[in-house]
Amino acid sequence: MIGIKSYGAYLPKNLLSRNLISKAWDFPAIPGSKAIAGIDEDTITMSVEAGLDCMLGIDPKTVDGLFFATTTQVYTEKDSASLIATVLDLRENIITIDFTDSLKAGTTAMTRAIDTIKANNDVKSILVIAADTRTPEPSTMWEYGFADGAAAILIADDDKLPISIEDYYSISANTTGPWKRTEQDKFIRTFEPKTDAQFYFNSMRNVILELLKRNDLKPYEIGHAALYYDNPRMHARLAKSLKFPQGVAQNGLFFQIGDLGTPMPFMLLISALKRPKPDAKIILAGYGNGADGILMQVKDKNMVKELNKTHVALGYQKNMEALDNYSIYISNKKLLDKDRYTRKSSAVIVWRETDSIYQMYGNKCKECGLIQYPRMFTSCFKCRTTNNFEKVKLQLKGTIFTYTLDHLIGGEYYETPVPRCVIDLDGGGRILLDMTEIKNPENNVKIGMRVELTFRRIHEGAEFINYYWKCRPKRGRS
Amino acid sequence: MSKGGIKDKVAIIGADMSKFGERWDKNQYDLLVEATEGAFKDAGITKDEVDAAWVGIFYYFTGLSGTLVEDALRLDGKPVTRCENYCASGMDAFRNACFGVASGAYDIALACGVEKLMDEGGSGLPGFKIFGHPIYPLPSAPAMFCMAATRCMHEYGWTKEDLARVAVKNHENGLHHPKAHFKSPVTIEQVMKAPMIADPLGRFDCCAMSDGSAALIITVPELAESYAHSDDYILVKSNAISVYTMAPWYWPSYDFTHFPATVKACEMAYKEANITNPRKEIDLAEVHDCFTITELLNCQDLQFCDRGKAVEELKKGTFNWDGETAINPSGGLKSFGHPIGATGCRMITEITKQLQGRAEGRQVPNAKIGLAHNLGGAFSVCSVTILGKNE
């Protein structure tokens, strides 16, 4: 059986209230808020977070591929999937690919993952991750919608799975709107929002009707419908036209976290599965120049509940924090021209020290047993033995031993001063990490504080994006 | 340690320093000439009598290699070596020069240090964009020492006011030194209210960015008697350097309440100089006070008091100019700033003048044994030099 083995999600710490947007531009008020990535976050870092959540309790070496979907890829030449797979510590002999340029890239990646597993006896599972950080043009209505987040789904062929995948169907539609030209456009554009809405309605309706027809299903037989939308009114119209019973097509997320783009259908699915109905049929649908529909079924309600219990609740949704003002948002989105700080970097060093930098491996001294970091040091801190280490995976959590709040900083930071924290990792190893997502560090950083590691952008030295781990106050990763 | 050692094998016969400060109108060659000319004059020699030179320079933009000395002095192709060992660069230049004369290879050596920081602008030490590993976090210099401050506050209950007392003492001392960068007293309140640089250290807890140079002329004692200071040349009693990790934040179980390099270097230096009770035997010390916390911990690590007791002793006046062990009677880095390559030689120059009884306006009474100490990097490199009168 092919189906969903696990899922995970990530929402950044910041919530921007739509109230602040309407105040900034004197726009009509729209309720709710939307999720906003920090200045040190992008689709790669958020995908690592969603991937870590999804892979909880699963050996990353058992995964045979990583399919990444986004419309806001960090590079146009150089894929993102291989870096995400590296940080998640997947094997080298796997398939990695980026699905881009359409908002339905997430659901398309998922259907292609199913096909790949079907077609290859030696491919048993593929991790599908979708993430987006679409930047709306300030003072446009897009600003109310576009939000940031990531979601991950592990597709697997296994005897026992919480959710099975029964069928899928896609249509392609060459609609012009919205778009973003490769060279010219900083922001997404559209020709006529009303026709955009009509394109959405037609493609989504057609793909779902065909999926129901092919499987001889009536709308009332569908238990959960996770349908992409960027406009709550159109979503309601679509659900009504498809004759789904009340409550089947959930639509609260737009108000709570905004339109996440490619991860939105996954996020809607994970949200719907918070209360899984036994044996329920599920429709997952993505939209963008056509649509994908995927039919699934809850196979084991208890397994779904177990997933919900062990993983963070919808990407830390409970643990988000409202931004105090609109200017922090504008600054985080780099919409203000500022001199940007670049440290030197070296692609060679990053490659050579991948296990230490990206995968958080340390050294364990074979002589005295001391676990230490980083791996570039060649002699033991304690017994001084040279080159007699074994490589060990370090834990992504620990306790602050000492720290400072550094005002003399260069670079892009979430907030200053920057806490520089010396952390004793659980299970061994001591490390120095900057802290992110901390408000009022003068009052809130303490010796003995528990922290989690989170993968972030750090600078653009040598004109490529340099990533490393930071720490953050505990958000609740298991 | 080998049986050799340096004790009583090297004599300082000339010493001087430039004015320290924001020397916008002077370049590194000017500063070096200012210091070396003073030292040559003090020794009663000309530059042509120098057989070899060692120069402490930290930053590449001050000068790479020994050519800076050649271009300042035109030593006509004589050997010059640049020494770089973080904040101990200048004292390490002196140490290497000592070996040069003690070995018999040279009769007279010049040990000097220079740094031209202010050409790079004034907001913190330059170069952090290009130092070290490109990925792992690199705290600012104050942030490194703050990690110790935070931990000491936690372990010993020290307060920001306790740290401020170091700044107040050293600024007071600096008032009386003609070459100091700052000659202005500060109050505890001023120190505590200054803008934060790296929590808990504010602007007055940190030494300033300055330009400066210092120079020493050394020879062997047998030859010293034929130069200007035939009666009062100063003897090197020991000279030690200790190097530990650049990244103490990765050192599992390191307590951040002592500096291992200081402990190790002074252990070596005391053994060689045959000092068993540092607090009693050492009359004055120029101790690295790049930050207020640094001086406190160094006083403990140099065994001038027990661990955890530095604040108590400071309050009692033990470390005052006229206290039991005068710490930084010159005003220290707090008053001179820290032109990195120059600082070690500046300290040795200061101790020399004090032991010769020529520290006008700031003379520590009856000074016989003095110590100079640098600590650099992330408490990584420590050099200790002990000097004594020729008695």
Side-chain angles (χ1 to χ4, degrees), chain A residues 60-208:
Chain A
K61 303 296 184 198
T62 62
V63 175
D64 304 306
L66 190 143
F67 289 6
F68 173 63
T70 187
T71 63
T72 45
Q73 62 269 43
V74 170
Y75 294 103
T76 49
E77 176 163 345
K78 179 185 158 29
D79 79 350
S80 300
S82 59
L83 173 54
I84 299 163
T86 297
V87 181
L88 293 175
D89 210 1
L90 271 48
R91 297 194 317 271
E92 191 181 63
N93 59 336
I94 58 166
I95 318 155
T96 51
I97 184 166
D98 288 3
F99 290 78
T100 60
D101 301 343
S102 162
L103 279 186
K104 72 172 167 54
T107 45
T108 304
M110 187 166 157
T111 59
R112 293 319 92 193
I114 301 161
D115 281 349
T116 307
I117 293 170
K118 272 187 189 167
N120 295 279
N121 281 334
D122 53 351
V123 178
K124 294 288 178 202
S125 67
I126 291 175
L127 181 58
V128 179
I129 305 183
D132 253 329
T133 53
R134 292 188 299 157
T135 302
E137 186 166 8
S139 87
T140 65
M141 297 300 276
W142 299 106
E143 237 182 343
Y144 280 131
F146 291 4
D148 308 327
I153 291 187
L154 183 63
I155 309 289
D157 186 354
D158 212 327
D159 297 337
K160 207 164 155 44
L161 289 170
I163 293 153
S164 66
I165 292 167
E166 305 291 322
D167 190 18
Y168 48 94
Y169 178 71
S170 298
I171 58 170
S172 172
N174 176 37
T175 53
T176 309
W179 70 83
K180 187 175 165 223
R181 286 172 295 176
T182 318
E183 304 290 340
Q184 293 93 328
D185 294 333
K186 189 168 180 189
F187 302 111
I188 289 156
R189 303 179 178 284
T190 194
F191 189 73
E192 164 55 59
K194 278 185 187 160
T195 53
D196 291 349
Q198 198 56 46
F199 295 148
Y200 163 81
F201 184 82
N202 292 345
S203 289
M204 291 291 271
R205 186 163 191 273
N206 291 345
V207 89
I208 293 164

Side-chain angles (χ1 to χ4, degrees), chain A residues 341-346 349-350 353 356-357 370-377 381 400-408 420-422 424 430-434 442 447 458-459 466-468, chain B residues 123-125 128-144 146-151 154-155 196-200 245-256:
Chain A
Y341 170 92
T342 50
R343 236 169 98 182
K344 72 157 194 184
S345 193
S346 160
I349 295 178
V350 172
E353 298 178 18
S356 199
I357 294 170
L370 185 73
I371 293 174
Q372 48 207 296
Y373 182 90
R375 299 198 66 235
M376 65 178 178
F377 294 146
F381 267 112
I400 293 182
F401 180 78
T402 187
Y403 68 94
T404 178
L405 308 177
D406 201 347
H407 293 251
L408 266 184
R420 314 269 198 186
C421 306
V422 178
D424 284 326
R430 183 177 271 193
I431 190 168
L432 172 74
L433 294 173
D434 294 348
E442 289 86 351
I447 286 175
I458 50 166
H459 59 79
N466 289 263
Y467 294 93
Y468 189 55
Chain B
S123 51
L125 283 175
F128 272 58
K129 282 183 184 182
I130 56 156
F131 281 167
H133 195 282
I135 301 295
Y136 300 130
L138 186 64
S140 64
M144 293 173 181
C146 283
M147 289 168 186
T150 306
R151 199 64 212 180
H154 181 80
E155 291 286 332
M196 204 56 97
I197 301 293
D199 207 288
T245 177
M246 178 50 213
W249 37 83
Y250 294 120
W251 191 343
S253 305
Y254 168 54
D255 61 13
F256 282 90

Side-chain angles (χ1 to χ4, degrees), chain A residues 272-377:
Chain A
L273 289 173
K274 276 197 248 178
R275 282 174 290 277
K277 299 172 189 164
D279 304 323
K281 301 272 189 199
I282 304 165
I283 285 180
L284 173 70
Y287 171 73
N289 295 115
D292 300 312
I294 302 167
L295 179 69
M296 298 180 285
Q297 186 173 9
V298 175
K299 282 287 169 193
D300 188 329
K301 188 182 141 186
N302 292 331
M303 282 175 85
V304 175
K305 285 190 159 174
E306 194 53 36
L307 280 178
N308 291 340
K309 211 188 308 170
T310 49
H311 292 235
V312 295
L314 198 60
Y316 308 102
Q317 199 191 350
K318 294 276 178 289
N319 196 327
M320 297 177 83
E321 220 163 60
L323 290 179
D324 293 334
N325 55 54
Y326 181 82
S327 58
I328 303 175
Y329 160 72
I330 286 285
S331 171
N332 266 4
K333 284 287 177 192
K334 298 185 189 172
L335 293 169
L336 296 177
D337 274 338
K338 278 186 186 172
D339 277 347
R340 301 293 170 188
Y341 170 92
T342 50
R343 236 169 98 182
K344 72 157 194 184
S345 193
S346 160
V348 179
I349 295 178
V350 172
W351 165 77
R352 188 171 61 227
E353 298 178 18
T354 287
D355 53 7
S356 199
I357 294 170
Y358 286 153
Q359 295 165 338
M360 265 301 145
Y361 280 94
N363 281 333
K364 183 176 182 182
C365 179
K366 288 186 189 165
E367 193 67 33
C368 73
L370 185 73
I371 293 174
Q372 48 207 296
Y373 182 90
R375 299 198 66 235
M376 65 178 178
F377 294 146

